[in-house]
């Protein structure tokens, strides 16, 4: 009986932790992020941002302009992400959602990355994208799909995923994320471009590469920052 009770409590605790593993629900109509922290004495700190006094909130706090403008894809990966999150749209604070526009040059890619705090749902607006994600250890299953205009794909929270433009023309995608600030970790940048650099011996063993190759990669990605 005692063992059954302990198991029940453990399962309940696990379920609760999973249920609370995303942005918490707001306890008021809105909590517009305060941009001017000089007035923070009259504000309340909620979920990473100070809340503006509701009496001072304006329509502009819920407005973002410019998502129709293409991002500059003239870079090494051939893509650009325009982010609409709590840092650029204060009214998103505590609401648990955000948005990005991803522009791709021909054969450009949004390289393998993760969003530690949000699930992503992507819709292709223009072009053709090859997308996919990899599951966690030990299976590391790869799920891929070629998407055309109007197609939708979901990338589960925290999993490594990517998007590649396989067309000869520019491509555009819009993604919604289940967090006001989902975060992003680009795998190559984080591993080979960390500051300070990871000890090459660690990466040599982890990736089964020659140490000279690791050091060259660290130099390449470190110099790009």
């Amino acid at each position: 009986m005692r063992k059954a009770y302990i198991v029940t409590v453990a399962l309940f605790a696990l379920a609760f932790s999973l249920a609370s593993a995303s942005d918490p629900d707001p306890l008021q109509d809105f909590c517009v992020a305060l941009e001017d922290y000089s007035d923070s004495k009259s504000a309340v700190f909620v979920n990473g941002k100070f809340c503006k006094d509701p009496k001072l909130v304006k329509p502009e706090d819920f407005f973002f302009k410019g998502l129709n403008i293409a991002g500059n894809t003239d870079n090494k990966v051939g893509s650009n992400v325009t982010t609409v999150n709590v840092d650029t749209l204060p009214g998103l604070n505590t609401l648990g959602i955000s948005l990005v526009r991803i522009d791709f040059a021909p054969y450009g890619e949004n390289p393998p990355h993760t969003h530690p705090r949000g699930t992503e749902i992507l819709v292709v607006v223009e072009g053709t994208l090859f997308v996919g994600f990899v599951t966690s250890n030990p299976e590391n299953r790869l799920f891929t799909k070629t998407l055309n205009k109007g197609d939708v794909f979901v990338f589960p929270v925290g999993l490594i995923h990517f998007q590649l433009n396989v067309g000869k023309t520019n491509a555009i995608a819009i993604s919604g994320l289940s967090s006001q600030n989902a975060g992003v970790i680009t795998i190559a940048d984080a591993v080979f471009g960390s500051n300070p650099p990871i000890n090459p011996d660690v990466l040599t063993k982890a990736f089964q590469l020659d140490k000279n190759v690791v050091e060259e990669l660290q130099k390449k990605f470190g110099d790009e920052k």
Side-chain angles (χ1 to χ4, degrees):
M1 185 70 178
R2 180 180 175 83
K3 289 184 178 180
Y5 172 78
I6 293 174
V7 170
T8 301
V9 171
L11 290 174
F12 177 81
L14 176 61
F16 179 81
S17 66
L18 292 174
S20 61
S22 59
D23 290 357
D25 291 334
L27 301 177
Q28 61 283 321
D29 289 340
F30 51 77
C31 173
V32 174
L34 188 65
E35 296 175 311
D36 182 7
Y37 286 92
S38 64
D39 191 35
S40 60
K41 291 182 180 179
S42 61
V44 178
F45 192 75
V46 177
N47 200 24
K49 296 287 183 179
F50 285 105
C51 296
K52 180 185 286 188
D53 185 336
K55 295 178 182 178
L56 302 178
V57 170
K58 301 173 293 184
E60 288 75 18
D61 292 320
F62 302 95
F63 176 75
F64 178 92
K65 184 177 182 179
L67 208 60
N68 61 308
I69 300 172
N72 182 9
T73 59
D74 185 17
N75 52 58
K76 292 183 177 180
V77 295
S79 69
N80 184 282
V81 179
T82 302
T83 303
V84 185
N85 61 14
V86 68
D87 293 325
T88 54
L89 183 55
L92 286 175
N93 196 39
T94 75
L95 299 185
I97 56 171
S98 57
L99 190 72
V100 299
R101 168 180 171 148
I102 314 171
D103 288 281
F104 300 86
Y107 306 109
E109 73 166 350
N110 191 12
H113 62 281
T114 73
H115 300 294
R117 295 181 293 275
T119 291
E120 176 180 354
I121 183 167
L122 175 146
V123 58
V124 177
V125 178
E126 294 290 345
T128 302
L129 297 178
F130 177 70
V131 306
F133 66 85
V134 180
T135 64
S136 56
N137 298 349
E139 290 85 3
N140 298 131
R141 291 183 62 193
L142 173 64
F143 291 83
T144 64
K145 193 74 176 175
T146 298
L147 307 180
N148 296 301
K149 182 176 180 178
D151 290 343
V152 176
F153 199 81
V154 173
F155 305 98
V157 60
L159 298 186
I160 295 174
H161 59 283
F162 60 86
Q163 300 103 23
L164 171 69
N165 181 7
V166 293
K168 298 180 180 180
T169 60
N170 293 338
I172 305 170
I174 299 290
S175 286
L177 294 138
S178 62
S179 171
Q180 67 185 40
N181 187 8
V184 59
I185 301 171
T186 304
I187 306 305
D189 289 344
V191 173
F192 295 107
S194 66
N195 184 23
I198 298 173
N199 187 318
D201 292 334
V202 174
L203 301 181
T204 296
K205 183 174 288 293
F207 288 92
Q208 298 294 292
L209 294 173
D210 185 272
K211 190 173 182 178
N212 291 331
V213 174
V214 169
E215 291 175 340
E216 182 63 29
L217 287 170
Q218 287 183 310
K219 184 177 185 302
K220 177 180 177 61
F221 284 94
D223 289 346
E224 290 179 355
K225 295 186 176 180

